[in-house]
Amino acid sequence: MDMTPFEQSESSVRGYSRAYPTVFASASNARQTAEDGTSYIDFFAGAGVLNFGHNNPRMKAAMIAFLESDGVAHSLDTYTTTKRDFIEKFRDVVLQPRNMDYRMQFTGPTGTNAVEAALKLARLTTGRREIVAFSNGFHGMTLGALAATANDAFRKWAGVPLTDVVRLPFETSPGGDTAVADYGAALRNASSGLTPPAAFLVEVVQAEGGVNLATPAWLHQVQDLAREVGALFIIDDIQAGCGRTGSYFSFDGMGLDPDIITLAKGLGGFGTPIAMNLNKPSVDDNWSPGAHTGTFRGQGLSFVAGTVALDYFTDDVLMSAVASKGAVMRDRLEAIAAAHPEQDWEVRGRGMMQALDTGDGAFAKRVQQAAFETGLLIGPCGTGGQVIKLIPPLTIPDEDLAEGLDILDKAITTAGVA
Amino acid sequence: MDMTPFEQSESSVRGYSRAYPTVFASASNARQTAEDGTSYIDFFAGAGVLNFGHNNPRMKAAMIAFLESDGVAHSLDTYTTTKRDFIEKFRDVVLQPRNMDYRMQFTGPTGTNAVEAALKLARLTTGRREIVAFSNGFHGMTLGALAATANDAFRKWAGVPLTDVVRLPFETSPGGDTAVADYGAALRNASSGLTPPAAFLVEVVQAEGGVNLATPAWLHQVQDLAREVGALFIIDDIQAGCGRTGSYFSFDGMGLDPDIITLAKGLGGFGTPIAMNLNKPSVDDNWSPGAHTGTFRGQGLSFVAGTVALDYFTDDVLMSAVASKGAVMRDRLEAIAAAHPEQDWEVRGRGMMQALDTGDGAFAKRVQQAAFETGLLIGPCGTGGQVIKLIPPLTIPDEDLAEGLDILDKAITTAGVA
Amino acid sequence: MDMTPFEQSESSVRGYSRAYPTVFASASNARQTAEDGTSYIDFFAGAGVLNFGHNNPRMKAAMIAFLESDGVAHSLDTYTTTKRDFIEKFRDVVLQPRNMDYRMQFTGPTGTNAVEAALKLARLTTGRREIVAFSNGFHGMTLGALAATANDAFRKWAGVPLTDVVRLPFETSPGGDTAVADYGAALRNASSGLTPPAAFLVEVVQAEGGVNLATPAWLHQVQDLAREVGALFIIDDIQAGCGRTGSYFSFDGMGLDPDIITLAKGLGGFGTPIAMNLNKPSVDDNWSPGAHTGTFRGQGLSFVAGTVALDYFTDDVLMSAVASKGAVMRDRLEAIAAAHPEQDWEVRGRGMMQALDTGDGAFAKRVQQAAFETGLLIGPCGTGGQVIKLIPPLTIPDEDLAEGLDILDKAITTAGVA
Amino acid sequence: MDMTPFEQSESSVRGYSRAYPTVFASASNARQTAEDGTSYIDFFAGAGVLNFGHNNPRMKAAMIAFLESDGVAHSLDTYTTTKRDFIEKFRDVVLQPRNMDYRMQFTGPTGTNAVEAALKLARLTTGRREIVAFSNGFHGMTLGALAATANDAFRKWAGVPLTDVVRLPFETSPGGDTAVADYGAALRNASSGLTPPAAFLVEVVQAEGGVNLATPAWLHQVQDLAREVGALFIIDDIQAGCGRTGSYFSFDGMGLDPDIITLAKGLGGFGTPIAMNLNKPSVDDNWSPGAHTGTFRGQGLSFVAGTVALDYFTDDVLMSAVASKGAVMRDRLEAIAAAHPEQDWEVRGRGMMQALDTGDGAFAKRVQQAAFETGLLIGPCGTGGQVIKLIPPLTIPDEDLAEGLDILDKAITTAGVA
């Protein structure tokens, strides 16, 4: 396997390739195969994009048919038949059964662009500047979204002050139990030195931030405060949405009513880029035509595969599998934690995003390396990378899931607790 | 053609669909076909993305083969065989013949993300904050890139102050002849109130800004000042690069030596998203692994089609065609301008980006509408949309080009000069 | 009394003259006399400047002698004999008895300038940007100090974003009990999205903010956190210092060890402008000569009167009087509050800064008006002006104090509880 | 002379005392006398404050009388008889003869506070953020005014980004001939990336910036552009006003019509602090009562001495003397420059602000030192302190002026041209 071209000609900024020093040649469902024939079980799913597996056969067939029929692959924000199919299917499968009334905004095809658009719309709607974001939150890398991202490992490269964001502790962070109430009290005090924000931007499950779960009660507290002070309530469901936690949205069943929902990653199904915001009509009305543009907003292949992906939500087969496989993952991680009672490890997660918080980034890195060397791809997250996050494709076969968990178990032993 | 789903469920922010009120069903080379069978000649090429035509057959075949072979469609920044092919081909076809030594950074797959990454790297490299950008410049919609974008029609939606950018007039703008020299003189004056910038960010041909062309002398003046004050010299070649102006880079043959070059739009060949910065190694060395990330940086389909696209640059067939077709476009626009001597219209352009500056946005909008109604897609640009920009696929058949120009000519008459 | 020249030629921004619609002609100790002969008892003392009374005879004599001897009235930051006298006296009377080692920085002669200088020095010392300031805090009107001031009634006139300040609730504000601990916890979390601040800027008694008193325990918590995170601990003692609360500094006896102390108002004794920061030597060493300048830093008359004022602190006569008069004020306010048990009024204060929080700005304004009409000057403070603050000269005769309190009592009745 | 107390207990930030290492004990008109009896001729006048000499006898007498009569020394912005006297005199002597209709705003008693108030009012009036300020401009040290100050020697200590100011070259700076026109052209271009500013802030004679003189034509160009784009035109006359250049305002006779004029330094006559903005009524109407406050706005001693100072402008005696003495200064500097033709020195100035630009800060510093050692106080200004600025009291006796110029001449020889 020749890695020289990468080492010589690709930017030093490359990162995952240092954790996985091989060259991948093909991939299918929950397995990636390297050029030298080594097969890896994938518990990372392209950072949570590949909910439906690599090269999902139904999507692949639809995409090939689309290509063969000269479908419109790139359309900006003009109307196309494939986009209409996607819109109608999303409306019928996702929105209408939930009685949700939202408009779909296809932004530039990345999560960070979706967040940038949401923040623009919130500022435009309210005429205010500040966005409330939370500790451990991750929302993207472009300057507007990066300002809302908490982790200093990303923020420190901005090179300019990241402004117009107010930071509160997330529910599970130190001070998280009182912070929202205290902030609300401060906003009601005209001598607090605070002005009301344009929006509260929150993840229901913080994925990159360490698989931290907010309770419905806390989320309602945030939403209620937003309503009280005239701010928008925005849920970033980019990594936790599209079925990952066991239902389409991570907040299904919680009785929440966000003004904007950001989606990306799993939305296109196949790994081709797409991002979409769901805006309440009264909020969306504040957009003027062309106020937020972008070249790659109309991605035919993503619409085609994304439309196929929505079939997984017309019945409960996949979501039931997520529940059962998620339980398998959860049980195994708890068994691993129980086997190391002296370590104070914590298992957290929902659906098929399950994680072991080891409290030790160096250890987690060793686990990642040992797992890679024995055929498993995992990605650490959280502060210093101390949380081992498992996000396999939702479609992973039971035997691959079991084998992957076995490899993980051994890798933890191999890594050697510090 | 049912447009109701768009009107009911798509965001009010949609723009191009208002100028082209139809539903496109398929597309091939320089033609798009609506659901009702109407065929449109495409002089817009997806905002300059589709240099090699819609559904380019060679790319399509390669993409289908890639899909059928379970290639790695989504890979973050891990190594894949398809990315290696792209890197090697780009190095061999583009960089080595020009004796250019650059590293390739695949950013999030949009132009705005490429610009954000370039600005981060410039700030990181220099430890400075301000970026010099130019009037009429267009660099993207996310907050970091938007700060460098000039047009107030886009800036006013940011909702927060856009900071850390110094604005100079572009060469062709009022004051553009003296501005760079004056700014240099000011930087040399310790009482000027100015501090040296991190970078100068410039387009060789401002596409969205109105098809404004910088001279090599002026570009050298900018580059020389950047060198003198320890700033980076960044060329944004996102719309003018990839063959559009008659050679791979818009600045080929000018003797320039940029520190960073941003590429996107035409790079993926087929209209699937990709963006790449070329960083000088000494600059690139300032990146730490993972300092700028993004989910959709590893797009297998874009690598596959983009690799095919590079074949167009292994000989001079396409570039010769660009020269001759560009001349046809130019001649026709000049004839049109000559037919309206009282209007003071100006024809500007290079290669197959040619434009008629009508000085009247309302008139240009009427031309766009009349053209659409008679089977031609064009997009106005520049302040108030007063410049009619023609950017057909470089592969457009001569007869389609001729027919499109005929339609344009008539549309101008139909629109009725104000 | 001719007020026309003011009404015609003075700016609309004038404020106190609207509450006190008369023309003052002379003043002595705790009384001001209007042009029409009306005498007013002064419970406002020029916003806390005139701790030693109007036209303090000893100061007046020293100032006249200074003028007659052609002393250096205006000296920038050159050395003068009068400044030396002041420095030596301040060192001997204030610093040495407390074992305090500080350098004296004479800034531009206003409190806001002292705060600006302190913030510059904190940022310079730490290389950080953010200042932690507290709700209800008041620190001045120039942009740097205004950013640290909490009250929106002042902030909203800035016309630009007020940045680089983090706002926490003061101890007595909602959330004030947990905020400092929570903020500390967040700073220890690398994913909090926070970076450590340059300084904590706090008032021991918030005067303008509503006469809110911090406890020593809370102040130690702030100081400890500052130490832990490498930030400076700055006490703004501009209104509460110089004897007002019963000792020279408002924090005497609390065991605190601030890095910078800002002083102004009472420092010059007579009402002529002066401001001075006390900087710890290790912090002060970070200044370069001339890094913070200002025209009016060397005020001979203020040095002369301020030197006389220090005589009040060489024995305990005045401070004992402050204790006893403060108790008289306190008792009377509590009696007033007790007479209106249905109103939930609160009496707060220390030394001769005592206040009645009426919870009703409109009512307090009526009290101010009724008091003025019957010969007493008072000034409301706090949110919406709901707190009636009493800060007479420390030298007020007992009979004037008693008469003033009587007038206040009646004014409260006259004003009529809402 | 004991300097130990300063060295031990005064802040390291002290500056002028390093250039003048002595202790001043008294001062009269244009002479300062050190504690050891050495007499110095004062060509610096307290940084341009003491236009009427140290301890001006008429002012001194009035101040003593004021003190003896228990005048109101400190009055915030209440009405006092002394303030009324000042307002009426200023109106009668300065404004009415010029047909100027302005309201007087007494801000905090420093130039920087006056500038802060002016910028607030401009932003409030226009609803815009940016202020246009000029290279080499000096406007103060607090963050709002410092943002408008050009010299990096002051700016670099701010510790935070200085924002919301657009910088143009002053007329005499490189690019200054075209900058205003170019900026105007850019503002008319909707794609320039610029938004119209709130105000243009300009000095007619840049004093600290190096004694740079704007022409009336250029100032009209600035004023015209301000009018065109709906911005305020603000003249900072803090150092050049109050008679320094040969008439009350530095712009007298130029036909200019500023919206706001800032005054301070010489306004109080005696060296006690005061600052005042003159606001056009239509602009001033935008203030709400109390929108910009400050403790030391009502300075009785400054009103008293300032009222006496206005007597100098009821006839032409002083201004005639300024003309003739200014010519003496000018002639002598030109003779000095002519004696060193190889040095390319430039003489600049107006009235009794005359300067020799030596182009060499180190040399100018040696001149300052040699002058001090032989009994003359001067202060360098401009970039790197290369400009020797002479601003003696306007009341300097002819013999002191001549003697001072002799000392200067010899000091230049002593300093030794580099």
Side-chain angles (χ1 to χ4, degrees), chain C residues 134-391:
Chain C
F134 293 88
S135 61
N136 292 62
F138 183 90
H139 303 286
M141 283 287 128
T142 52
L143 283 194
L146 185 55
T149 294
N151 197 320
D152 192 51
F154 295 117
R155 297 170 64 83
K156 68 183 173 189
W157 309 109
V160 292
L162 295 169
T163 60
D164 302 310
V165 167
V166 171
R167 185 76 48 185
L168 296 184
F170 190 71
E171 183 181 14
T172 57
S173 294
D177 51 339
T178 57
V180 173
D182 289 351
Y183 180 66
L187 284 178
R188 290 174 207 112
N189 171 10
S191 296
S192 67
L194 304 181
T195 46
F200 292 73
L201 172 65
V202 67
E203 297 159 283
V204 171
V205 183
Q206 294 186 319
E208 292 307 301
V211 189
N212 308 309
L213 285 74
T215 62
W218 184 81
L219 291 162
H220 273 280
Q221 189 187 13
V222 175
Q223 176 177 287
D224 291 349
L225 181 56
R227 297 282 189 270
E228 176 189 340
V229 302
L232 300 195
F233 178 57
I234 306 175
I235 290 183
D236 178 335
D237 223 23
I238 290 172
Q239 185 158 162
C242 302
R244 169 59 59 186
T245 63
S247 57
Y248 193 80
F249 295 113
S250 65
F251 55 87
D252 277 329
M254 293 186 181
L256 294 167
D257 185 30
D259 296 292
I260 304 177
I261 304 157
T262 65
L263 294 171
K265 290 192 185 264
L267 188 69
F270 196 81
T272 52
I274 187 171
M276 178 177 78
N277 284 347
L278 298 173
N279 304 329
K280 285 203 163 185
S282 61
V283 169
D284 187 79
D285 283 342
N286 294 294
W287 277 128
S288 296
H292 185 82
T293 68
T295 293
F296 291 118
R297 285 169 294 160
Q299 287 302 308
L301 286 163
S302 298
F303 289 134
V304 166
T307 302
V308 172
L310 290 167
D311 283 332
Y312 283 108
F313 299 93
T314 56
D315 60 36
D316 65 356
V317 175
L318 183 69
M319 289 303 100
S320 298
V322 168
S324 58
K325 290 178 203 166
V328 168
M329 294 159 67
R330 177 73 170 226
D331 291 348
R332 188 60 168 271
L333 289 178
E334 289 187 338
I336 290 172
H340 299 269
E342 78 290 357
Q343 291 296 323
D344 201 25
W345 289 346
E346 189 178 35
V347 176
R348 295 191 297 265
R350 185 179 300 152
M352 285 179 70
M353 184 191 299
Q354 295 291 338
L356 179 71
D357 188 340
T358 71
D360 180 346
F363 171 69
K365 199 173 178 62
R366 292 199 303 276
V367 173
Q368 181 187 31
Q369 184 180 345
F372 173 76
E373 289 168 0
T374 47
L376 175 70
L377 306 176
I378 54 172
C381 65
T383 305
Q386 69 183 38
V387 180
I388 298 171
K389 181 174 65 169
L390 310 185
I391 45 172

Side-chain angles (χ1 to χ4, degrees), chain C residues 9-13 15-16 24 27 35 46 55 60 70-71 74 77 79 83-84 104 116 143 265 284 290 295, chain D residues 9-13 15 24 27 35 46 55 60 70-71 74 77 79 83-84 104 116 143 265 284 290 295:
Chain C
S9 297
E10 196 177 0
S11 170
S12 305
V13 82
Y16 287 112
F24 295 107
E35 203 175 13
N55 283 296
K60 196 164 73 170
D70 279 345
H74 168 74
D77 65 353
Y79 299 154
K83 184 162 80 168
R84 192 176 57 203
M104 304 177 211
E116 295 257 350
L143 283 194
K265 290 192 185 264
D284 187 79
T295 293
Chain D
S9 298
E10 195 177 0
S11 169
S12 305
V13 81
F24 295 106
E35 202 173 13
N55 282 296
K60 197 164 72 171
D70 281 344
H74 168 75
D77 65 354
Y79 299 154
K83 184 161 80 167
R84 190 175 58 203
M104 305 176 211
E116 295 257 351
L143 283 194
K265 290 192 186 267
D284 188 78
T295 294

Side-chain angles (χ1 to χ4, degrees), chain D residues 88-105:
Chain D
E88 291 182 321
K89 187 82 162 280
F90 192 88
R91 184 193 61 200
D92 294 346
V93 173
V94 176
L95 297 181
Q96 287 191 346
R98 288 168 174 81
N99 275 317
M100 290 170 70
D101 183 17
Y102 286 87
R103 299 224 189 97
M104 305 176 211
Q105 177 182 3

Side-chain angles (χ1 to χ4, degrees), chain D residues 59-224:
Chain D
M59 296 178 197
K60 197 164 72 171
M63 291 163 78
I64 290 172
F66 171 79
L67 287 168
E68 288 176 337
S69 68
D70 281 344
V72 185
H74 168 75
S75 60
L76 299 159
D77 65 354
T78 59
Y79 299 154
T80 67
T81 49
T82 45
K83 184 161 80 167
R84 190 175 58 203
D85 292 346
F86 179 86
I87 287 175
E88 291 182 321
K89 187 82 162 280
F90 192 88
R91 184 193 61 200
D92 294 346
V93 173
V94 176
L95 297 181
Q96 287 191 346
R98 288 168 174 81
N99 275 317
M100 290 170 70
D101 183 17
Y102 286 87
R103 299 224 189 97
M104 305 176 211
Q105 177 182 3
F106 301 98
T107 68
T110 62
T112 196
N113 198 303
V115 170
E116 295 257 351
L119 301 192
K120 270 189 196 174
L121 182 54
R123 285 162 171 153
L124 179 58
T125 300
T126 61
R128 302 173 182 172
R129 284 173 41 237
E130 290 179 325
I131 303 295
V132 179
F134 293 89
S135 61
N136 293 61
F138 182 91
H139 303 286
M141 284 286 126
T142 51
L143 283 194
L146 185 55
T149 294
N151 197 320
D152 191 53
F154 295 116
R155 296 170 64 83
K156 68 183 173 190
W157 309 109
V160 292
L162 296 168
T163 60
D164 302 310
V165 167
V166 171
R167 185 78 48 186
L168 295 185
F170 189 71
E171 184 181 13
T172 58
S173 295
D177 51 339
T178 56
V180 174
D182 289 351
Y183 179 66
L187 284 178
R188 290 174 207 112
N189 172 10
S191 296
S192 67
L194 304 181
T195 45
F200 292 73
L201 172 65
V202 66
E203 297 160 283
V204 172
V205 182
Q206 294 187 319
E208 292 307 302
V211 189
N212 307 308
L213 285 73
T215 62
W218 184 81
L219 292 162
H220 273 280
Q221 190 187 12
V222 174
Q223 176 177 289
D224 290 350

Side-chain angles (χ1 to χ4, degrees), chain A residues 1-3 5-18 20 22-28 32 35 44-47 49-50 54-55 60 63-64 67-74 76-81 83-84 87-88 91 102-106 108-110 112-113 116 120 123-124 128-129 138 141-144 146 154 157-161 164 264-265 270-274 279 284-297 299 301, chain B residues 1-3 5-18 20 22-28 32 35 44-47 49-50 54-55 60 63-64 67-74 76-81 83-84 87-88 91 102-106 108-110 112-113 116 120 123-124 128-129 138 141-144 146 154 157-161 164 264-265 270-274 279 284-297 299 301:
Chain A
M1 293 189 297
D2 184 8
M3 299 189 212
F6 301 109
E7 288 158 3
Q8 287 182 345
S9 299
E10 195 177 0
S11 169
S12 305
V13 81
R14 67 193 191 280
Y16 288 112
S17 56
R18 300 173 196 268
Y20 310 144
T22 190
V23 183
F24 296 107
S26 66
S28 180
Q32 289 193 239
E35 203 174 13
F44 191 48
V49 165
L50 297 159
H54 291 268
N55 282 296
K60 196 164 72 171
M63 290 162 79
I64 290 172
L67 287 168
E68 288 177 338
S69 69
D70 281 343
V72 184
H74 168 75
L76 299 159
D77 65 353
T78 60
Y79 299 154
T80 66
T81 49
K83 185 161 79 169
R84 191 176 57 203
I87 287 175
E88 291 182 320
R91 185 195 59 200
Y102 285 88
R103 299 225 189 97
M104 305 178 212
Q105 177 181 3
F106 301 97
T110 63
T112 194
N113 199 303
E116 295 258 350
K120 270 188 195 173
R123 284 161 172 152
L124 180 58
R128 303 172 182 171
R129 285 174 40 239
F138 183 90
M141 284 286 126
T142 51
L143 284 194
L146 185 55
F154 295 117
W157 309 109
V160 291
D164 302 309
K265 290 192 186 268
F270 196 81
T272 51
I274 188 172
N279 304 330
D284 187 77
D285 282 341
N286 293 294
W287 277 128
S288 296
H292 185 81
T293 69
T295 294
F296 291 118
R297 285 169 294 159
Q299 289 301 307
L301 287 162
Chain B
M1 292 189 297
D2 183 9
M3 300 189 212
F6 301 109
E7 289 157 3
Q8 288 183 344
S9 297
E10 196 176 359
S11 169
S12 306
V13 81
R14 67 191 190 281
Y16 288 112
S17 55
R18 300 172 196 268
Y20 310 145
T22 189
V23 183
F24 296 106
S26 67
S28 180
Q32 288 192 239
E35 202 174 14
F44 191 47
V49 165
L50 297 160
H54 291 270
N55 283 297
K60 197 164 71 172
M63 290 163 78
I64 290 173
L67 286 169
E68 288 177 337
S69 69
D70 280 345
V72 185
H74 168 74
L76 299 161
D77 65 353
T78 60
Y79 299 154
T80 67
T81 49
K83 183 160 81 168
R84 191 176 57 203
I87 287 175
E88 290 183 320
R91 185 193 60 201
Y102 286 88
R103 300 224 188 97
M104 304 176 213
Q105 176 180 3
F106 300 98
T110 62
T112 195
N113 198 303
E116 294 258 351
K120 270 189 194 172
R123 284 161 172 153
L124 180 58
R128 301 172 182 172
R129 286 175 39 240
F138 183 90
M141 284 286 128
T142 51
L143 283 195
L146 185 56
F154 296 116
W157 310 109
V160 292
D164 302 309
K265 290 191 185 264
F270 196 81
T272 51
I274 187 172
N279 303 330
D284 187 78
D285 282 342
N286 293 294
W287 278 128
S288 296
H292 185 80
T293 68
T295 293
F296 291 118
R297 285 169 296 159
Q299 287 303 306
L301 287 163

